[in-house]
Amino acid sequence: MGTLPHIVYEILDIFHKASFFALSLQAALVILVIWLILHKNKSNEKSRNLSAEQKAALIANWTPEPLVGDTPLDHPALSPRLVTGRVGKRITVDGRDCLNLGTHNYLGLLEDEDIQEDAIRSLKKYGVGSCGPRGFYGTVDVHLDLEEKLAQFMDMEEAVVYSYGFSTIASAIPAYAKRTDICFVDEAANFAIQKGLDASRCTVVYFRHNDMKDLEEKLLEQSAKDVENPKKAAKTRKFLIAEGIYMNTGEMCPLAELVEMRKKYRLRFFLDESITFGTMGATGRGLTEHLGVDKDEIDLISASLEWAVGTIGGFCVGSSFIVDHQRLSGLGYCFSASCPPLLTQAALSALDKFNKHPELFAEIQESSRRMQKKLENLSMLALRGNPISPVKHLYIRQEKSSKAEVTLLTDIVEKCISRGLCLVNAQYLAHIEKKCPRASIRLTVNRLLTDEDMAFAFETLESVSKEILA
């Protein structure tokens, strides 16, 4: 009984110390909760008072929303192409042998017998999969070996390996950029980067593709805002995100100029080298090596292992401080099952090839140049892409509506496949992409292509495009 007056005193003291605004807000919330409870009870009472005929009428008139919307009869998913056998320089599509210019197997390592034998030995030792995320029971010694060798190869302090190429940069961005931060991003950035930005919930400022003047104008605008609100600016981190070679254009980023912008405006710089890793530079270390840019100028370098390396997964390299943070905050690392050991071993074997056979990189660059010279002579299709980029885009020269271009390019791809040349349309999620690129045929080069292969590809494209577009 003695505690009751004390409790009452404490409650009165709280009311005495609380501001009028706080008391008013609490009273309003209490009234709102009471109103919601009473309103809900009235609604339930009305529904309980319906007659049997009224309930039957409601049920009869109710139409459930379909689980899947209507699919157009011409949707490609309704008529998929069947690929059989090993995917390499040549591919079997619907029973037809084709020259494969749709693969990202730039170095042709999918067809390397030594790598396949190493993967088979790993399969016999470890089994198929790890069955768990890296942080639990999914880490196998080959994962640690790969991270160590990647860090050594890239001459960085540490590396972290992801089990899926898409999730690498999509996880790395939100591991650092948060709601209060700002990211300056090239408008041609790939879909994985876009999803990483969405997950970070940061403010995104897109600048025109490879336009350093437009980027600087946007940075100056932000600097003016920071001067007006220094308190907010002190809590806002700024990031710059680019690709070495853009998947959506095949064009190389102006890396040296981006580094200067990073220094001048004190930005954190992330570079996705998924296409350039294993294709650029004298030893395949990417665009930094090719252009002679110090890797220490870049805070985080990411790349896919699914292109030049010819396996599965991706990685990020940087300082130990930067990389270790992803082991706790990189969602694709923390919650995805680790990369199967046999495919991790394939990546290790590919890295050994990189070190022992640096001529691979000169060969892919030369193949890309020769293909560029061929494709520049197409009369009905326009070429876009850096001469030494293994990814190139072909567009209809006389621009038409988006729907018409998609239809015409699809017809070209289908007819090319029927003549033994495998190509693919660049696929985009038109209603989700931040700036959906123009329809194109995305053509890829690999180092195994001969002069005869390139001549066949050119002649087939020229003939088919004339038939359909002339």
Side-chain angles (χ1 to χ4, degrees):
M1 293 295 291
T3 59
L4 187 59
H6 178 71
I7 294 172
V8 172
Y9 174 78
E10 291 289 339
I11 293 173
L12 291 174
D13 186 55
I14 291 171
F15 276 98
H16 177 71
K17 292 179 179 178
S19 67
F20 175 76
F21 174 77
L23 291 173
S24 301
L25 180 61
Q26 291 170 6
L29 289 173
V30 170
I31 294 169
L32 178 62
V33 170
I34 293 171
W35 180 84
L36 287 172
I37 293 171
L38 295 175
H39 182 73
K40 183 179 179 182
N41 288 338
K42 287 181 180 179
S43 299
N44 291 338
E45 185 177 343
K46 287 180 181 178
S47 63
R48 284 195 296 267
N49 292 335
L50 292 175
S51 65
E53 292 79 8
Q54 289 173 318
K55 291 179 181 179
L58 285 174
I59 294 171
N61 293 329
W62 178 68
T63 302
E65 186 176 342
L67 291 175
V68 180
D70 293 335
T71 304
L73 295 178
D74 61 347
H75 195 283
L78 298 178
S79 54
R81 294 193 176 276
L82 180 62
V83 175
T84 53
R86 183 182 297 174
V87 176
K89 171 186 164 181
R90 303 203 67 84
I91 186 173
T92 304
V93 183
D94 292 337
R96 181 183 296 276
D97 179 59
C98 297
L99 177 66
N100 187 4
L101 296 187
T103 179
H104 290 276
N105 177 32
Y106 309 134
L107 299 181
L109 296 184
L110 279 174
E111 299 169 77
D112 189 281
E113 296 294 337
D114 294 335
I115 293 176
Q116 291 175 30
E117 289 176 7
D118 288 344
I120 291 169
R121 280 194 292 270
S122 179
L123 174 63
K124 292 177 179 177
K125 180 178 179 181
Y126 298 107
V128 176
S130 61
C131 302
R134 288 287 304 278
F136 293 89
Y137 44 83
T139 295
V140 183
D141 54 2
V142 288
H143 295 125
L144 302 177
D145 291 344
L146 179 57
E147 288 176 341
E148 182 180 354
K149 289 196 174 182
L150 281 168
Q152 291 173 356
F153 183 77
M154 294 296 289
D155 194 25
M156 302 292 274
E157 288 183 10
E158 202 161 343
V160 58
V161 170
Y162 287 78
S163 55
Y164 182 32
F166 185 97
S167 68
T168 303
I169 189 65
S171 297
I173 291 172
Y176 304 99
K178 305 301 179 186
R179 186 191 293 271
T180 56
D181 299 329
I182 299 175
C183 287
F184 295 88
V185 188
D186 192 297
E187 66 182 9
N190 64 47
F191 194 59
I193 290 175
Q194 294 176 36
K195 290 296 99 181
L197 294 167
D198 288 345
S200 72
R201 298 179 293 176
C202 65
T203 300
V204 183
V205 178
Y206 287 99
F207 59 92
R208 288 193 293 271
H209 180 46
N210 279 348
D211 189 335
M212 295 299 98
K213 184 178 178 181
D214 186 52
L215 170 59
E216 186 156 27
E217 287 176 358
K218 288 177 167 56
L219 289 168
L220 286 171
E221 289 175 11
Q222 184 58 45
S223 296
K225 293 178 183 178
D226 293 343
V227 171
E228 294 175 3
N229 193 345
K231 188 174 180 181
K232 181 181 179 182
K235 298 178 182 179
T236 301
R237 298 175 300 175
K238 302 177 188 67
F239 295 83
L240 176 60
I241 301 172
E243 293 178 68
I245 287 179
Y246 288 87
M247 179 64 72
N248 291 342
T249 66
E251 295 174 339
M252 190 180 292
C253 77
L255 184 58
E257 295 176 63
L258 288 169
V259 167
E260 289 304 313
M261 291 289 183
R262 181 199 71 79
K263 292 179 184 177
K264 186 175 180 179
Y265 294 95
R266 306 179 73 177
L267 309 170
R268 294 164 172 85
F269 186 15
F270 290 0
L271 180 65
D272 183 8
E273 293 222 54
S274 291
I275 296 175
T276 49
F277 177 74
T279 62
M280 296 289 111
T283 58
R285 285 167 169 81
L287 192 60
T288 51
E289 181 185 38
H290 177 70
L291 298 178
V293 174
D294 187 355
K295 286 190 285 290
D296 291 335
E297 299 288 355
I298 302 167
D299 295 282
L300 185 73
I301 295 176
S302 67
S304 173
L305 294 170
E306 298 169 8
W307 305 148
V309 180
T311 180
I312 294 295
F315 68 91
C316 294
V317 291
S319 66
S320 297
F321 175 78
I322 293 290
V323 170
D324 278 343
H325 179 71
Q326 291 183 61
R327 302 188 195 280
L328 296 175
S329 300
L331 300 181
Y333 179 91
C334 294
F335 300 108
S336 296
S338 62
C339 187
L342 79 154
L343 296 174
T344 307
Q345 179 58 56
L348 279 166
S349 301
L351 275 182
D352 288 339
K353 291 280 183 182
F354 284 15
N355 288 317
K356 294 176 182 177
H357 301 283
E359 68 275 8
L360 295 174
F361 315 113
E363 290 172 5
I364 180 58
Q365 292 168 29
E366 181 58 27
S367 292
S368 298
R369 284 192 189 95
R370 286 188 285 124
M371 181 63 85
Q372 182 93 359
K373 289 181 180 178
K374 286 282 187 185
L375 298 177
E376 284 173 348
N377 296 318
L378 290 169
S379 60
M380 308 301 293
L381 299 171
L383 174 65
R384 187 179 188 183
N386 188 279
I388 61 171
S389 168
V391 174
K392 306 180 188 299
H393 287 258
L394 297 174
Y395 304 86
I396 297 175
R397 282 193 184 275
Q398 296 182 346
E399 193 167 346
K400 306 178 187 297
S401 69
S402 297
K403 188 173 182 180
E405 288 192 342
V406 169
T407 301
L408 290 169
L409 290 171
T410 300
D411 292 342
I412 291 173
V413 166
E414 290 180 352
K415 186 159 281 192
C416 283
I417 291 174
S418 70
R419 297 186 184 182
L421 177 63
C422 182
L423 299 170
V424 294
N425 294 77
Q427 298 291 332
Y428 305 107
L429 298 173
H431 302 295
I432 302 177
E433 299 266 357
K434 301 305 177 186
K435 181 177 174 60
C436 190
R438 185 185 170 196
S440 67
I441 295 173
R442 188 171 61 216
L443 181 147
T444 57
V445 182
N446 70 77
R447 72 176 184 89
L448 301 179
L449 295 175
T450 64
D451 288 336
E452 291 75 17
D453 294 328
M454 294 183 190
F456 169 73
F458 170 79
E459 290 164 7
T460 304
L461 272 166
E462 179 71 358
S463 172
V464 169
S465 60
K466 280 184 175 179
E467 289 178 20
I468 293 175
L469 300 176

